[in-house]
């Protein structure tokens, strides 16, 4: 939870999987200022899930996320919910299964608030971009009731539909040489994250009951069905639980 200045931080090569609550690659809730930072992780949670930030009304400037994100709803490549951001890019995959009852998902944000069109002095969301594969919107939900051409154009300008476009934007804004992921490896990583989420949902070992037997058997069967490369991506701590 950030409530003051948070400059120049990065986090990478981690996997987070939690059954509920706000989670993200770098900061869960932001009520202060974050700038010149980035995250490169794998995140899974129920709701308010972001590759960089979970949610909050604080300011974010010059930050990017390479994180892959999945969850029930309010899932965003950069933030679960955000309303004040200047110069940001999200590059990872986004998946929402609707298990939170909402299912909102966006390439940049699950929920995008603030102001993106109008007088420049009042705009709070600017120069931001999200990777949107398979017709994913850049924002799962917005607070904008108007449907003006200006608003539609602003949202369209935020949308990056190819990895090459993501690579170019990261280079231009952050001088980052983004390596486009191998599709087969991405599929293995996604399968590993799904496996971790299934394991994480099981009760602790000392709390298991006879009624949990089917769930445990299903998790074991799912793990056994993975290829060796995918099994190697599953967290060691989870494999032994």
């Amino acid at each position: 939870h950030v409530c003051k200045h948070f400059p120049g931080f990065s986090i990478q090569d981690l996997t987070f999987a939690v059954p509920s609550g706000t989670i993200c690659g770098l900061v869960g809730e932001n009520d202060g200022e974050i700038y010149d930072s980035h995250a490169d992780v794998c995140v899974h949670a129920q709701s308010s899930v972001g590759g960089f930030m979970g949610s909050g009304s604080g300011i974010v400037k010059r930050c990017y996320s390479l994180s892959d994100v999945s969850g029930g709803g309010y899932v965003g490549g950069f933030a679960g919910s955000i309303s004040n951001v200047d110069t940001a890019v999200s590059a990872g995959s986004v998946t929402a299964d609707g298990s939170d009852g909402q299912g909102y998902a966006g390439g940049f944000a699950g929920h995008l608030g603030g102001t993106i069109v109008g007088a420049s002095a009042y705009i709070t969301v600017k120069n931001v971009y999200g990777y949107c594969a398979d017709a994913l919107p850049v924002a799962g939900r917005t607070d904008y009731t108007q449907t003006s051409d200006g608003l539609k154009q602003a949202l369209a300008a935020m949308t990056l539909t190819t990895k090459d476009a993501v690579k170019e934007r990261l280079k231009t804004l952050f001088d980052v040489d983004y390596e486009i992921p191998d599709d087969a490896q991405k599929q293995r990583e996604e399968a590993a994250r799904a496996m971790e989420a299934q394991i994480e949902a099981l009760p602790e070992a000392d709390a298991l009951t006879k009624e949990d037997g089917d769930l445990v058997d299903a998790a074991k069967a799912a793990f056994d069905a993975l290829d060796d490369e995918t099994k190697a991506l599953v967290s060691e701590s989870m494999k032994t639980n």
Side-chain angles (χ1 to χ4, degrees), residues 176-190:
V176 170
D177 293 316
Y178 176 59
E179 183 176 343
I180 297 176
D182 174 79
D183 287 343
Q185 179 64 14
K186 288 286 278 187
Q187 290 176 358
R188 287 191 288 269
E189 291 172 354
E190 289 171 2

Side-chain angles (χ1 to χ4, degrees), residues 62-237:
R62 302 182 302 276
C63 297
Y64 65 92
S65 169
L66 307 181
S67 306
D68 292 326
V69 189
S70 61
Y74 286 101
V75 183
F78 191 85
S81 179
I82 195 168
S83 59
N84 199 329
V85 53
D86 182 351
T87 310
V89 176
S90 58
S93 64
V94 176
T95 306
D97 60 21
S99 58
D100 72 333
Q102 302 291 332
Y104 294 116
F108 185 78
H111 168 252
L112 186 64
T115 304
I116 65 171
V117 294
S120 59
Y122 297 99
I123 293 177
T124 62
V125 177
K126 54 188 173 182
N127 204 25
V128 304
Y129 307 90
Y131 174 56
C132 303
D134 302 321
L136 182 74
V138 72
R141 176 190 168 195
T142 70
D143 291 335
Y144 316 126
T145 56
Q146 75 272 34
T147 57
S148 67
D149 289 340
L151 177 63
K152 293 177 182 177
Q153 291 170 6
L155 291 172
M158 297 178 188
T159 303
L160 305 176
T161 57
T162 69
K163 285 293 187 178
D164 285 331
V166 171
K167 182 180 179 75
E168 183 276 331
R169 195 61 58 182
L170 285 168
K171 183 66 176 178
T172 299
L173 295 178
F174 302 101
D175 197 26
V176 170
D177 293 316
Y178 176 59
E179 183 176 343
I180 297 176
D182 174 79
D183 287 343
Q185 179 64 14
K186 288 286 278 187
Q187 290 176 358
R188 287 191 288 269
E189 291 172 354
E190 289 171 2
R193 288 196 297 275
M195 186 71 254
E196 288 174 344
Q198 188 174 354
I199 295 172
E200 186 72 22
L202 295 173
E204 294 293 331
D206 58 2
L208 285 171
T209 66
K210 210 178 269 189
E211 287 72 24
D212 297 317
D214 288 344
L215 293 175
V216 173
D217 289 343
K220 286 181 178 178
F223 182 79
D224 290 341
L226 300 176
D227 61 40
D228 291 340
E229 289 178 283
T230 305
K231 287 177 181 177
L233 296 173
V234 178
S235 169
E236 286 296 331
S237 63

